[in-house]
Amino acid sequence: MKGQLKSFASDNNAPVHEAIFHAMMNANKGDAIGYGDDIYTLEAERKFKEIFGNDCRVFFMLTGTGANAAGLSHITRPYHSIVCSDKSHLENDECGAPEKVTGCKLISLPSDDGKIRVEQLGPLLHSVGFQHHSQPKVISITQPTELGTVYQMDEIRKISAFARENNLYLHMDGARIANAAARLNTGLADISIHAGVDMLSFGGTKNGAMIAEALVFFRSDLAGEFEYTRKQSMQLMSKMRYISAQFNALFSSDLWLKNALHANRMAGLLAERLQGISSVRITQAVETNAVFAVIPKNAIEKLQRKYFFYIWNAPRNEVRWMTAYNTTEKDIEEFVEAIRKAVE
Ligand SMILES: Cc1ncc(COP(=O)(O)O)c(C=O)c1O
């Protein structure tokens, strides 16, 4: 059964970090007012403001897809379009939720490494003011990308400058933003609000939490009345304290950073160990906690008997291996040995 196999499929498959479970247990005492009027939520909001500045507005959400879709619907009208990469989660892995919920057209730009290049954006302005075309309103970038690559600061700044100049908003899908900040050795605010992002989907679930996502607005004019959009989007959790307690734990003693640094280091170690195996070809720069590789088809089949992971691109025999905060060096050594045997 897949559930019993060691997983290199996704950081979603890791267990909840003990400190986070502990924080939820601590919050599990006595009554607390529902829907966010509790001390844990106040504390988590305070922590977000400490990181992103007093003017940000944060809303706790249940899923990353929910944060993306509800947030995007709040800042668009159905005749707008949302520009994203053709590798984005928005485009490929949200079952059409962004289109359904926003009514907007997604314009996905071709990308080999998951990143949008500012040069790709100019031609989209051709549609502006032409009533037969959807009107570009949001650029959505994923940091790190779905291919594990990272936007450098200047790349984000160039895209945000383009957005500002052309009256567009910049959304960042930060389902794994901790991994990007860890990679770039920057703060969470540096790669988001300070780089010109307007709205951030902030992920905690892939970084050791159980259910902890947030939507952070960096402009009050965009946030206005989002509480109603969240409720209508079915993302308002009644027992909010349990989400908030998870963020409080993630932000205590820099747990978010420790978890992300570790996951990234394990992916780096995996990539390093694979160097010596000639029939394994790594296809993306390993910058966070994912390794993409092309390996012989029969080796994929052999490996999947012992390990759970996804085939990313079947015709190319490309697989994705992900590490998480709980991946150990021993896990990596054993996995590399299994790969070596499988390709023999
Ligand atoms: C880049 C990215 N964005 C958003 C999500 C949304 O996550 P969820 O499964 O919580 O909806 C994921 C999940 O894998 C993701 O990888």
Side-chain angles (χ1 to χ4, degrees):
M1 199 184 138
K2 277 180 187 167
Q4 290 166 332
L5 300 177
K6 171 72 199 159
S7 172
F8 279 92
S10 173
D11 38 17
N12 277 325
N13 297 352
V16 176
H17 191 283
E18 256 183 38
I20 294 176
F21 234 124
H22 202 82
M24 292 171 82
M25 293 287 285
N26 276 342
N28 196 35
K29 293 194 178 112
D31 294 343
I33 299 178
Y35 302 107
D37 268 335
D38 62 86
I39 52 169
Y40 308 95
T41 304
L42 274 181
E43 175 63 6
E45 283 170 357
R46 195 190 58 72
K47 286 189 149 92
F48 268 89
K49 283 179 187 286
E50 210 171 270
I51 294 168
F52 294 109
N54 260 337
D55 292 338
C56 81
R57 287 194 62 199
V58 56
F59 297 87
F60 299 122
M61 311 288 282
L62 297 169
T63 68
T65 302
N68 286 342
L72 289 167
S73 78
H74 191 69
I75 61 173
T76 53
R77 301 288 305 273
Y79 52 79
H80 286 144
S81 45
I82 298 164
V83 183
C84 55
S85 133
D86 65 348
K87 302 297 184 300
S88 67
H89 201 265
L90 283 189
E91 167 74 3
N92 300 301
D93 290 304
E94 300 191 349
C95 193
E99 291 97 327
K100 177 174 188 254
V101 174
T102 65
C104 294
K105 181 177 172 64
L106 285 189
I107 298 181
S108 64
L109 300 174
S111 167
D112 289 334
D113 61 0
K115 294 197 240 177
I116 292 176
R117 300 286 184 291
V118 73
E119 297 74 29
Q120 293 176 287
L121 299 171
L124 301 171
L125 299 177
H126 179 67
S127 303
V128 173
F130 189 50
Q131 67 178 334
H132 304 283
H133 289 188
S134 63
Q135 297 296 295
K137 192 68 203 167
V138 184
I139 303 167
S140 178
I141 59 176
T142 312
Q143 176 74 324
T145 71
E146 291 73 3
L147 300 183
T149 54
V150 163
Y151 283 92
Q152 298 299 314
M153 296 286 293
D154 65 313
E155 292 176 307
I156 306 174
R157 284 209 188 96
K158 278 186 196 155
I159 295 175
S160 71
F162 180 94
R164 293 250 178 296
E165 277 158 27
N166 295 290
N167 197 26
L168 307 174
Y169 303 133
L170 181 58
H171 166 242
M172 177 175 277
D173 178 348
R176 296 186 178 83
I177 189 171
N179 300 82
R183 166 72 192 193
L184 294 170
N185 197 18
T186 60
L188 295 163
D190 295 322
I191 49 173
S192 54
I193 180 169
H194 297 159
V197 169
D198 297 309
M199 183 179 79
L200 169 69
S201 302
F202 185 102
T205 310
K206 294 164 193 3
N207 196 22
M210 182 192 286
I211 309 166
E213 304 293 320
L215 191 68
V216 192
F217 290 92
F218 299 129
R219 288 172 50 161
S220 53
D221 58 322
L222 288 187
E225 303 197 331
F226 181 73
E227 53 272 39
Y228 305 111
T229 303
R230 176 174 62 179
K231 180 69 185 183
Q232 278 202 329
S233 307
M234 295 159 279
Q235 290 282 314
L236 176 63
M237 171 136 161
S238 54
K239 295 198 176 179
M240 182 83 83
R241 63 172 139 162
Y242 298 100
I243 297 189
S244 313
Q246 294 173 70
F247 279 121
N248 291 337
L250 270 178
F251 292 137
S252 293
S253 317
D254 283 342
L255 182 62
W256 68 272
L257 182 59
K258 284 177 200 149
N259 284 354
L261 280 169
H262 179 84
N264 290 358
R265 193 168 69 76
M266 289 301 105
L269 182 65
L270 175 58
E272 191 189 302
R273 291 283 193 274
L274 293 173
Q275 291 300 328
I277 309 179
S278 60
S279 43
V280 175
R281 183 171 60 81
I282 294 178
T283 53
Q284 293 291 337
V286 179
E287 295 181 342
T288 50
N289 62 328
V291 176
F292 288 79
V294 167
I295 67 170
K297 189 172 185 323
N298 64 342
I300 298 180
E301 284 155 12
K302 281 189 217 163
L303 272 172
Q304 283 189 325
R305 282 182 217 134
K306 263 189 90 181
Y307 289 93
F308 178 42
F309 58 86
Y310 293 113
I311 299 174
W312 190 256
N313 183 324
R316 289 204 323 173
N317 297 324
E318 186 178 23
V319 296
R320 180 184 81 170
W321 294 321
M322 288 199 91
T323 53
Y325 80 88
N326 68 327
T327 308
T328 63
E329 289 190 14
K330 185 165 169 278
D331 292 335
I332 299 289
E333 298 305 345
E334 287 173 359
F335 189 42
V336 171
E337 210 29 55
I339 295 170
R340 203 184 297 281
K341 285 210 180 97
V343 300
E344 257 170 16

